[in-house]
């Protein structure tokens, strides 16, 4: 089992901070870098190893920082470059790593590169973005759709061409076929790597290259009313193009110029496509192509068992797995699977083979917060209202305490807090020995004590009904994990299932040390980990 320094991203637990919502230190209702510094002791006590920050760069905030106007600055809303340096130092002093969000697919329309690019057809940066002549009827060049609604093409009246934007019109796509664009973003990467950041999570990395011939996307025969409108076509010619792999391999080489850094890719693709983003032996790509399979998995034991098996089987030799339960784009896990199952989900995430990424607040069971129509901030929800695509509900302020504004800010936060923050908050849950927060801590702690949980083999154990059973083993020791994904209690003949030893941890935190003798009884919504007898 590998435990070398270079493998911190294999051994560690990642934690995503959405900076706007973590901790406000200057009373403007929006989180900031100094706020994150204040909360580092919390992250250290939780036991995570790396902190990934969603974008903190200067931005008009049309998409809350995913529209960048300067890749090598800090938005004043979040602080200054000095604040960033202080944060990096504090993170490292705490023994943690810091990962930045790199958004190379598109800039803000206020980025100087785009302002130049749109200034005239002859500008030297014209070809830095994806410009095209109008279609035959004067309309958009083809049927490509924006993920945030409508055509992906925006007409520029001054230069009488269209530009492509996979997201908002305020987020024009860069032209990654242009070597100058590659060079410019590689320099951005080097700027931050020289500053000491430990890696990048790369936004929509599978979008970077689009079809050179601009062919229409085919209609999606499975499209149903109620799905986001961009799903009416299949993204055959706009994402996952074969040439993107060369682009990512080049990015990886930049990361590899520095010791011990990591490249993580945001990729929503079926597992068999996802794993191609590890690259090949002679052309490495992402260390960790994010595995989002659990975000949309039907919450039942057989479906999840199949996902794990399919993923394990699809991984190329030497590829390191990873798992994600939540992020700033998807409904909170506690709302997807329910409050009770959120504990089982935590045990699943932290006992599967590979690197787990936690989304801030999931460790205290934060649920999707209801957002009144006049409080909607997310441009996706504004453009495509009423079908449940809004992302504000999973981006609400971290609930630190029962103090006003949950201890997040001394003023009204940018997004509302739910009423239950008075109970569901860090201070309260830290003091409650049986809380989900203490479960997360215990799970992370066990990963540090038992290397089998990090890099041991994954072996499924045959089970049926609501039961998910597997073993993690290595170095002559084995830990069995038994998860009840249903509400009804289940009893397992432990000898037949090969379960023996004693309970290391139950999701209800009250069974450690219990010997397994003949039968393992699980309560509804309970998971246990069974280790060798002590
Ligand atoms: C993916 C990010 O996670 C999401 O929040 C953003 O809106 C889009 N990329 C566009 O950058």
């Amino acid at each position: 089992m590998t435990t070398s320094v270079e493998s911190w991203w294999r051994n560690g637990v990642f934690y995503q901070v959405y900076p706007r919502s973590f901790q406000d230190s200057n009373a403007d209702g929006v989180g900031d870098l100094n706020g994150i510094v204040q909360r580092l002791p919390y992250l250290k006590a939780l036991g995570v190893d790396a902190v990934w920050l969603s974008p903190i760069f200067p931005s008009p905030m049309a998409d809350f920082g995913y529209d960048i106007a300067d890749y090598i600055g800090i938005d004043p809303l979040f602080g200054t470059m000095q604040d960033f340096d202080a944060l990096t130092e504090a993170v490292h002093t705490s023994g943690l790593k810091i990962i930045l969000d790199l958004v190379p697919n598109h800039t803000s329309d206020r980025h100087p590169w785009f302002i130049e690019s749109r200034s005239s057809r002859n500008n030297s940066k014209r070809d830095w973005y994806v410009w095209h002549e109008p279609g035959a009827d004067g309309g958009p060049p083809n049927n490509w759709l924006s993920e945030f609604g409508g055509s992906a093409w925006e007409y520029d009246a001054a230069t009488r061409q269209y530009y492509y934007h996979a997201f908002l019109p305020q987020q024009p796509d860069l032209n990654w076929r242009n070597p100058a664009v590659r060079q410019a973003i590689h320099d951005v990467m080097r700027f931050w790597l020289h500053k000491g950041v430990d890696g990048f999570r790369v936004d929509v990395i599978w979008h970077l290259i689009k079809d050179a011939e601009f062919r229409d996307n085919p209609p999606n025969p499975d499209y149903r009313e109620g799905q986001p409108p961009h799903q009416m076509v299949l993204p055959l010619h706009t994402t996952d193009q074969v040439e993107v792999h060369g682009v990512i391999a080049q990015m990886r080489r930049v990361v590899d110029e520095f010791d011990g850094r990591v490249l993580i890719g945001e990729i929503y693709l079926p597992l068999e496509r996802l794993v191609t983003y590890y690259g090949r032996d002679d052309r490495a790509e992402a260390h960790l192509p994010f595995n989002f399979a659990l975000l949309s998995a039907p919450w039942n034991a057989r479906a999840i068992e199949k996902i794990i098996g399919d993923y394990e089987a699809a991984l190329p030799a030497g590829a390191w797995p990873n798992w994600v339960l939540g992020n700033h784009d998807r409904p909170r896990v506690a709302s997807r699977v329910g409050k009770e199952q959120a504990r089982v989900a935590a045990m699943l995430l932290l006992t599967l083979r590979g690197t787990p990424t936690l989304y801030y607040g999931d460790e205290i069971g934060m649920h999707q917060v209801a957002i009144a129509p006049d409080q909607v901030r997310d441009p996706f929800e504004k453009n495509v209202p009423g079908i449940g695509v809004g992302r504000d509900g999973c981006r609400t302020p971290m609930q630190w305490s029962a103090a006003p504004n949950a201890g997040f800010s001394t003023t009204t936060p940018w997004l509302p807090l739910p009423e239950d923050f008075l109970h569901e908050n860090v201070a309260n849950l830290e003091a409650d020995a049986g809380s989900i927060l203490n479960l997360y801590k215990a799970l992370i702690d066990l990963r540090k004590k038992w290397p089998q949980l990090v890099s041991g083999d994954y072996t499924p154990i045959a089970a049926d009904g609501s039961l998910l059973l597997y073993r993690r083993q290595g170095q002559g020791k084995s830990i069995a994990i038994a998860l009840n994904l249903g509400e009804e209690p289940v009893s397992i003949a432990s000898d037949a299932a090969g379960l023996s030893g004693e309970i290391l941890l139950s999701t209800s935190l009250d069974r450690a040390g219990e010997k397994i003798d003949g039968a393992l009884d699980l309560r509804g919504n309970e998971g246990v980990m069974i280790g060798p007898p002590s």
Side-chain angles (χ1 to χ4, degrees):
M1 262 174 253
T2 336
T3 47
S4 67
V5 175
E6 293 72 44
S7 296
W8 61 268
W9 53 269
R10 289 194 178 92
N11 301 328
V13 175
F14 282 53
Y15 185 96
Q16 180 188 357
V17 163
Y18 193 67
R20 294 183 70 90
S21 297
F22 202 55
Q23 179 65 54
D24 176 17
S25 76
N26 64 345
D28 62 0
V30 176
D32 46 52
L33 301 184
N34 289 335
I36 300 171
V37 173
Q38 287 172 22
R39 296 301 185 179
L40 284 178
Y42 167 78
L43 295 177
K44 189 71 190 155
L46 180 59
V48 299
D49 301 280
V51 185
W52 149 37
L53 307 183
S54 283
I56 52 175
F57 317 104
S59 164
M61 302 288 166
D63 190 20
F64 297 107
Y66 283 95
D67 48 322
I68 296 174
D70 173 7
Y71 281 110
I72 53 171
I74 300 293
D75 195 286
L77 198 57
F78 297 122
T80 63
M81 193 57 89
Q82 283 78 5
D83 295 334
F84 176 77
D85 291 338
L87 169 64
T88 305
E89 198 182 328
V91 167
H92 287 154
T93 306
S94 308
L96 307 180
K97 305 283 185 186
I98 183 165
I99 309 294
L100 291 188
D101 218 307
L102 181 73
V103 188
N105 180 67
H106 45 269
T107 67
S108 161
D109 61 344
R110 315 256 187 96
H111 194 295
W113 297 345
F114 187 69
I115 292 172
E116 273 198 56
S117 182
R118 83 183 306 175
S119 66
S120 91
R121 290 194 185 199
N122 303 324
N123 186 275
S124 60
K125 293 215 165 48
R126 184 65 169 186
D127 191 43
W128 280 43
Y129 291 82
V130 184
W131 290 98
H132 203 285
E133 295 297 335
D137 61 354
N142 63 22
N143 74 350
W144 294 356
L145 296 177
S146 156
E147 299 238 338
F148 289 159
S151 168
W153 294 99
E154 183 78 1
Y155 188 59
D156 180 61
T159 58
R160 298 183 315 282
Q161 280 188 325
Y162 282 84
Y163 67 84
Y164 176 72
H165 55 90
F167 296 92
L168 297 173
Q170 297 95 317
Q171 293 169 295
D173 279 44
L174 282 162
N175 173 17
W176 274 83
R177 294 181 183 278
N178 183 336
V181 167
R182 299 185 187 198
Q183 190 59 50
I185 296 290
H186 293 168
D187 287 345
V188 167
M189 295 170 75
R190 291 189 185 101
F191 173 86
W192 293 108
L193 291 165
H194 276 300
K195 274 191 163 293
V197 311
D198 298 289
F200 301 104
R201 169 270 188 190
V202 186
D203 194 63
V204 296
I205 203 168
W206 85 114
H207 275 249
L208 293 180
I209 295 276
K210 308 41 156 139
D211 181 36
E213 293 171 41
F214 295 91
R215 283 169 287 186
D216 271 354
N217 276 327
N220 174 2
D222 299 324
Y223 180 78
R224 299 281 170 273
E225 208 167 320
Q227 283 176 240
H230 72 275
Q231 293 178 4
M232 280 192 250
V233 293
L234 297 170
L236 185 68
H237 298 302
T238 38
T239 63
D240 195 28
Q241 303 298 289
V242 80
E243 301 102 310
V244 81
H245 294 283
V247 169
I248 300 172
Q250 282 182 337
M251 283 184 166
R252 170 64 179 269
R253 285 202 286 278
V254 174
V255 168
D256 285 348
E257 290 167 16
F258 299 76
D259 280 343
R261 315 297 167 99
V262 69
L263 189 67
I264 306 171
E266 185 205 21
I267 303 160
Y268 286 91
L269 282 176
L271 292 174
E272 68 278 8
R273 296 294 318 143
L274 174 70
V275 296
T276 64
Y277 285 76
Y278 283 102
R280 305 183 311 239
D281 279 351
D282 58 335
R283 202 190 60 180
E285 298 179 35
H287 294 97
L288 301 173
F290 260 149
N291 167 12
F292 295 132
L294 293 177
L295 292 178
S296 48
W299 203 250
N300 72 71
R302 296 291 72 75
I304 291 177
E305 184 178 61
K306 177 162 170 24
I307 286 171
I308 304 168
D310 288 352
Y311 181 58
E312 285 279 348
L315 286 168
W320 186 251
N322 77 92
W323 297 92
V324 178
L325 266 188
N327 65 29
H328 64 292
D329 293 326
R330 294 299 168 112
R332 288 267 180 195
V333 61
S335 298
R336 297 200 317 268
V337 307
K339 189 174 177 179
E340 296 307 321
Q341 279 294 316
R343 287 172 170 260
V344 175
M347 187 170 275
L348 175 71
L349 176 72
L350 288 155
T351 57
L352 286 175
R353 198 170 75 87
T355 302
T357 300
L358 273 53
Y359 182 50
Y360 87 94
D362 281 352
E363 76 278 18
I364 56 169
M366 277 171 62
H367 56 79
Q368 198 68 2
V369 175
I371 307 290
D374 63 339
Q375 289 182 314
V376 169
R377 306 289 303 264
D378 179 13
F380 194 5
E381 175 69 21
K382 285 185 178 172
N383 289 355
V384 186
I387 59 166
V389 296
R391 300 171 296 176
D392 294 323
C394 68
R395 298 174 174 180
T396 56
M398 181 68 174
Q399 297 160 200
W400 294 106
S401 71
N405 307 310
F408 162 73
S409 176
T410 52
T411 191
T412 308
W414 75 289
L415 282 174
L417 286 152
E419 279 172 19
D420 67 3
F421 86 78
L422 291 172
H423 305 284
E424 307 300 320
N425 61 62
V426 169
N428 227 9
L429 299 180
E430 263 172 353
D432 171 357
S435 71
I436 185 166
L437 177 56
N438 282 314
L439 171 64
Y440 264 96
K441 283 187 184 173
L443 285 164
I444 295 172
D445 211 37
L446 280 178
R447 282 178 73 88
K448 299 197 195 299
K449 288 200 184 108
W450 293 91
Q452 289 77 8
L453 291 173
V454 176
S455 47
D457 292 341
Y458 163 87
T459 317
I461 304 175
D464 52 22
S466 62
L467 197 61
L468 181 61
L469 267 184
Y470 52 94
R471 195 180 292 290
R472 301 295 313 286
Q473 58 203 352
Q475 297 176 347
K477 292 209 171 99
S478 141
I479 294 180
I481 293 98
L483 305 175
N484 183 358
L485 273 70
E487 291 175 355
E488 300 302 323
V490 289
S491 185
I492 312 160
S494 48
D495 293 343
L499 302 176
S500 62
E502 65 182 48
I503 294 181
L504 294 175
L505 185 69
S506 148
T507 49
S508 39
L509 292 160
D510 56 359
R511 294 179 67 179
E514 204 179 291
K515 302 259 180 303
I516 304 302
D517 189 12
L520 169 65
D521 294 316
L522 289 181
R523 293 173 277 209
N525 300 313
E526 185 181 35
V528 299
M529 297 164 67
I530 301 161
S534 54

